[in-house]
Amino acid sequence: MGEQIRLDKCLAMLGLGSRSEVKQLIRGGSVRIDGETVRDPNRKLEADRVRITVNGTPYTYKAVRTVMMNKPAGILTAARDKKQRTVLDLLPPMYAAMGCMPAGRLDKDTTGMLILTSDGALAHRLITPGKNVGKTYEALVDGPFTEEIRARFAAGIHVEDADGTFDARPAEATLLRMEGTESLVRVKVTEGRYHQVKRMFSAVNLTVLRLRRTRIGGLSLDPALQPGDFRELTEAEVALLEQQETGG
Ligand code: URA
């Protein structure tokens, strides 16, 4: 049996307004469940099984929502910020109402694949280093990425800087191409420390000029998503996120 929830709560979670606003909608006769007008906000329903329309527009309720976003540069990875736009501001209000939060953090200037989910356990699994979920980035750096540096990444880079000291786990890194004097490098890490990738390159005297995340676990960023676009993941895709695989 599906999850039973009250109609007013269900509509609030769909982002249709506050509890009192959606009660007005319901009492005003705007809401139909399986074709029947329902005026009782307390009506319990299996929200993920019924057809819901509000003023004729259909809505789909799901208990859990997981979204892939192609994060643009210049946007904070946070739930809410008083001054700056955040990734949640790029989603319709329903997602915040359902408790979607970013699973991990990309720097303001980092672009690419970001997962937002209302499933707290999934978010935790994706960011816990012990789970070994790989995160793959493409980094444009300001010099040659030599075989010696590749081997240091593979052995585990020692980072010691103003933000602290850590021994990074071994990371697979591949030179994709040179762009003039700059190198485009694919690097896969299994941790998410503060500025992890930038600090690893900095430890070998390279500055990251551009950073984009392309893959988490076994799932790649959907190439159809333009910066700022998002889409919900299927269950099969959510399962891929946690897959530990070796390729890039
Ligand atoms: N590593 C970084 O340095 N920045 C990011 O945004 C992600 C990983």
Side-chain angles (χ1 to χ4, degrees):
M1 197 163 94
E3 189 195 2
Q4 291 258 351
I5 63 167
R6 280 164 49 144
L7 180 56
D8 58 352
K9 180 172 183 204
C10 168
L11 296 188
M13 288 176 86
L14 285 168
L16 288 160
S18 64
R19 272 299 173 98
S20 59
E21 285 164 347
V22 301
K23 277 185 180 150
Q24 278 183 12
L25 272 178
I26 299 165
R27 294 202 174 108
S30 300
V31 180
R32 286 175 171 230
I33 305 298
D34 287 337
E36 172 212 349
T37 302
V38 175
R39 293 174 190 270
D40 175 8
N42 298 324
R43 167 80 75 91
K44 290 253 183 159
L45 42 113
E46 281 183 53
D48 49 356
R49 298 249 172 126
V50 295
R51 275 184 302 115
I52 305 167
T53 61
V54 179
N55 293 323
T57 305
Y59 288 86
T60 307
Y61 177 87
K62 281 197 216 163
V64 169
R65 293 197 186 250
T66 300
V67 158
M68 174 198 292
M69 176 184 285
N70 184 356
K71 179 192 169 296
I75 303 280
L76 276 193
T77 306
R80 285 271 168 263
D81 191 86
K82 287 202 182 87
K83 296 195 186 125
Q84 304 188 56
R85 288 221 301 160
T86 72
V87 288
L88 268 163
D89 294 327
L90 301 181
L91 297 178
M94 172 187 80
Y95 291 95
M98 291 203 61
C100 278
M101 298 288 280
R105 199 173 276 265
L106 293 178
D107 296 337
K108 192 172 171 187
D109 59 354
T110 301
T111 62
M113 185 167 172
L114 184 70
I115 299 298
L116 297 106
T117 182
S118 62
D119 181 344
L122 171 67
H124 183 74
R125 291 196 298 274
L126 292 180
I127 61 181
T128 303
K131 299 284 180 192
N132 282 328
V133 175
K135 280 121 194 156
T136 304
Y137 295 84
E138 285 179 12
L140 183 70
V141 298
D142 67 347
F145 187 77
T146 60
E147 169 54 28
E148 186 215 325
I149 296 175
R150 191 205 60 74
R152 286 180 64 189
F153 270 62
I157 292 265
H158 179 71
V159 175
E160 204 167 329
D161 60 23
D163 289 315
T165 302
F166 66 93
D167 286 310
R169 293 179 164 199
E172 288 168 37
T174 313
L175 175 65
L176 295 177
R177 61 174 181 271
M178 295 292 293
E179 295 185 0
T181 55
E182 296 161 358
S183 310
L184 186 66
V185 180
R186 179 190 291 144
V187 56
K188 180 170 157 191
V189 298
T190 54
E191 309 160 276
R193 290 173 190 272
Y194 180 65
H195 296 330
Q196 168 112 16
V197 174
K198 292 174 185 168
R199 291 166 73 194
M200 285 166 68
F201 279 105
S202 179
V204 295
N205 296 317
L206 289 170
T207 300
V208 173
L209 306 171
R210 222 170 51 216
L211 189 61
R212 189 168 89 98
R213 184 154 66 190
T214 56
R215 192 172 172 93
I216 298 177
L219 189 66
S220 293
L221 176 64
D222 182 343
L225 293 179
Q226 299 302 310
D229 285 355
F230 68 92
R231 70 165 173 83
E232 289 198 19
L233 295 183
T234 63
E235 277 180 30
E237 288 174 324
V238 171
L240 281 177
L241 279 177
E242 296 184 62
Q243 198 175 65
Q244 296 162 26
E245 39 76 74
T246 45

